[in-house]
Amino acid sequence: MVRATALAATAGESSAASASQLVAEGRRSAARLHALLCRQQAAAGSSSSTLHGCPMALTEQILCCFDRAIAALHGGAGAGCREDDDGHAAVRGGKCKPERGSAGARAAASSKRIRVEKKATMHDNFLWRKYGQKEIKNSKHPRLYYRCSYRDDHGCTATKQVQQSEDDDTASPVYVITYFGEHFCGRVADVGGPVVAGDDGEESEELMVISFGSSAAAAAAATGGASAAYPWPCCGEDAKNRGPSKTWSLPDWEEVPPLTANVAEELIEEESTPEPELMGLISSPDLEYSLLDLELGESSFGIDGFINFDELSVYSIDNAR
DNA sequence: CCGATTTGACCCGA
DNA sequence: TCGGGTCAAATCGG
């Protein structure tokens, strides 16, 4: 039986992959629509803090449906939080201790993690506060721990861990970033804020290929992870208003996923660099690649447990070497 | 003065 | 017992 299942899975893999890509395409279109609506809403002066307006709710629903479709096509199997080969053991079953101070973060960690590997910068669209740094055994570089700066304000459970890649400590280091939890502080990317980068969605979309399964395996081989996409809407709006932060930077990309953000969103080419001289890099991305990995936690995936696909890789072809 | 970062200590699971 | 994740006091910087 097991063998039969495996065979079936193999046979249907390619068609499922193409179907998945189509669905993913549709989802991105929906995401763009969502972004447009967000922008219009913001432009209209309405509070962007609530997305419960009809169109917004509708697009979210559409996105949600796409997510489920993707999950279904992918065959589920949310492989749970498997250990990365490069020591990213961050998510371990038991670490979620509600009673401790960081219960939220740990709980979030157990439910979902999104792994991102990118060159040159560890900046992203969010405002993070560093709360720890740890030397990791067998690792040249320490692991840095960040949590969303809005944890206190909004109960945002998002955290991330940043670690410089082992084999890459040159001028343009690769940072392996593992995201945990969700940004409950998140708002849809603010139109007026630094979050927005041109047509964002459209533009980045052209740069990307989404692949499921097998190709992700290659990615996993290279990065020790699984798969992909960008996690959350951002807290950029508030972040901007909260004054300077060393961890804050202007992105040149943006994504506008639903607030629930259960799913990895599309990837955004990213390399925000505060330094003016580095701004050129933004306009002409010289990231050699940007690979995002996503791992969805066990079944405890928070909301409805959809998104079972455990591998979704997003590559920037434009910058691919 | 306030907020962010640093860093040693503590906690917890394996 | 060890390794990893988080806390929180001390420190730093604007």
Side-chain angles (χ1 to χ4, degrees):
Chain A
M1 175 184 289
V2 172
R3 191 170 51 187
T5 303
L7 287 174
T10 306
E13 194 170 277
S14 59
S15 60
S18 61
S20 294
Q21 290 185 15
L22 288 172
V23 175
E25 177 100 18
R27 191 191 182 283
R28 285 188 311 211
S29 297
R32 270 189 287 164
L33 177 61
H34 188 79
L36 287 172
L37 287 172
C38 291
R39 246 169 264 159
Q40 288 181 358
Q41 182 172 336
S46 58
S47 166
S48 62
S49 61
T50 59
L51 289 175
H52 301 315
C54 283
M56 309 294 283
L58 199 55
T59 52
E60 282 186 25
Q61 198 167 353
I62 293 171
L63 287 169
C64 187
C65 289
F66 273 120
D67 293 340
R68 296 185 188 210
I70 290 171
L73 282 169
H74 191 61
C81 297
R82 253 193 331 213
E83 188 80 12
D84 299 336
D85 54 9
D86 58 346
H88 289 274
V91 179
R92 288 212 177 107
K95 282 268 175 172
C96 339
K97 271 292 180 174
E99 57 269 21
R100 263 196 89 184
S102 61
R106 288 192 176 181
S110 71
S111 64
K112 173 169 80 173
R113 78 170 168 181
I114 295 175
R115 199 160 172 276
V116 177
E117 181 171 331
K118 58 184 175 179
K119 259 194 167 154
T121 179
M122 64 179 75
H123 295 289
D124 55 28
N125 231 1
F126 302 97
L127 183 63
W128 300 98
R129 172 174 297 183
K130 186 178 179 181
Y131 66 87
Q133 177 174 329
K134 189 85 174 180
E135 294 292 333
I136 302 301
K137 192 182 179 187
N138 297 327
S139 181
K140 283 188 292 185
H141 310 287
R143 181 174 298 168
L144 283 55
Y145 299 88
Y146 296 87
R147 71 164 64 98
C148 180
S149 292
Y150 302 96
R151 190 181 78 145
D152 296 334
D153 294 354
H154 304 320
C156 184
T157 62
T159 63
K160 74 172 180 179
Q161 298 171 1
V162 176
Q163 188 169 18
Q164 189 172 334
S165 182
E166 290 301 301
D167 52 347
D168 204 290
D169 49 0
T170 58
S172 56
V174 170
Y175 293 101
V176 177
I177 305 176
T178 308
Y179 293 92
F180 300 97
E182 298 179 34
H183 277 278
F184 294 119
C185 65
R187 291 159 165 59
V188 167
D190 171 31
V191 194
V195 180
V196 173
D199 285 329
D200 35 288
E202 292 104 278
E203 206 167 340
S204 58
E205 209 173 306
E206 295 172 1
L207 301 175
M208 294 187 293
V209 168
I210 299 181
S211 61
F212 296 88
S214 56
S215 63
T223 67
S227 43
Y230 205 76
W232 309 291
C234 79
C235 349
E237 183 179 1
D238 280 352
K240 183 184 171 190
N241 296 334
R242 280 175 68 102
S245 167
K246 290 177 182 174
T247 55
W248 170 254
S249 58
L250 301 180
D252 63 333
W253 53 266
E254 171 224 17
E255 181 45 17
V256 187
L259 272 183
T260 48
N262 291 314
V263 174
E265 274 305 327
E266 34 243 275
L267 160 60
I268 310 90
E269 219 16 316
E270 154 182 32
E271 72 237 328
S272 46
T273 40
E275 274 82 287
E277 65 265 37
L278 293 179
M279 292 302 286
L281 298 178
I282 296 178
S283 56
S284 60
D286 73 339
L287 286 186
E288 294 182 81
Y289 63 89
S290 181
L291 169 66
L292 289 80
D293 288 338
L294 160 67
E295 284 189 13
L296 300 178
E298 298 97 329
S299 43
S300 62
F301 184 36
I303 308 165
D304 291 343
F306 62 93
I307 308 305
N308 287 326
F309 56 95
D310 55 348
E311 292 180 342
L312 165 63
S313 298
V314 184
Y315 298 93
S316 164
I317 349 185
D318 186 65
N319 300 318
R321 273 171 297 133

